[in-house]
Amino acid sequence: MKKILVINGPNLNMLGFREPAIYGDKSYNALVDQIVGEASRLGVSVEVFQSNHEGEIIDRIQQAYGHYEGIVINPAAYTHTSVAILDALKGVGLPTVEVHLSDINSREDFRKFSYVSLYAEKTICGKGFGGYIEALEYLCRR
Ligand code: DQA
């Protein structure tokens, strides 16, 4: 069975009450439930990890080496700042899909650049929770 690691970055644990006009009114737990449900439908094993700390995200990416066949990552604000997360993803070399709930290209200018996009095979944004489902399907088919 394919094993996929889903990583969510800072403030995504606040889903539901964080800027609902942008990120929706469904909770982080609802997102995790949806991801886990979709994984079982697709017949893949999934682990979902969230952290507000850049170093913890990097540790988790490094630990994925040899244990997972793919990564789905929403690095949240670190998308736009973290060379270290980009380097970690390049270092482990796993197929990676980048997901954003909102459409980062139609928001503030500083959100238009993504370090992670320099490595990710595919970037899905502006599709809400559905972006994670599409990412899992992509990694499954790959
Ligand atoms: C986000 C977009 C980022 O710009 C922002 O910092 C986030 C969430 C998204 O899912 O739309 O925290 O990654």
Side-chain angles (χ1 to χ4, degrees):
M1 193 187 261
K2 230 178 202 180
K3 283 178 76 183
I4 293 171
L5 175 63
V6 177
I7 299 176
N8 285 308
N11 301 307
L12 290 168
N13 56 315
M14 307 255 292
L15 280 179
F17 42 98
R18 168 195 187 202
E19 301 183 87
I22 297 173
Y23 300 114
D25 56 10
K26 287 191 269 169
S27 69
Y28 184 70
N29 284 343
L31 173 63
V32 174
D33 286 349
Q34 205 163 311
I35 291 169
V36 169
E38 179 64 11
S40 91
R41 196 182 68 78
L42 291 168
V44 293
S45 152
V46 79
E47 188 184 328
V48 188
F49 172 78
Q50 190 275 332
S51 176
N52 293 325
H53 305 277
E54 187 174 17
E56 282 182 7
I57 294 169
I58 293 161
D59 288 344
R60 204 65 197 80
I61 294 168
Q62 291 182 1
Q63 287 156 10
Y65 184 77
H67 298 283
Y68 293 90
E69 279 80 45
I71 294 177
V72 174
I73 185 165
N74 181 348
Y78 292 138
T79 305
H80 320 294
T81 62
S82 183
V83 177
I85 290 176
L86 169 65
D87 284 351
L89 291 168
K90 282 170 132 177
V92 301
L94 290 170
T96 297
V97 179
E98 173 187 9
V99 172
H100 300 283
L101 296 160
S102 66
D103 179 8
I104 54 174
N105 296 307
S106 63
R107 297 180 61 193
E108 303 95 323
D109 279 349
F110 67 84
R111 296 188 202 272
K112 292 187 176 137
F113 179 76
S114 162
Y115 282 101
V116 168
S117 289
L118 302 176
Y119 174 74
E121 267 183 35
K122 189 175 165 68
T123 297
I124 303 165
C125 54
K127 296 188 172 174
F129 288 9
Y132 290 83
I133 305 307
E134 210 177 298
L136 286 178
E137 283 167 352
Y138 173 84
L139 287 174
C140 221
R141 274 200 311 271
R142 190 183 179 281

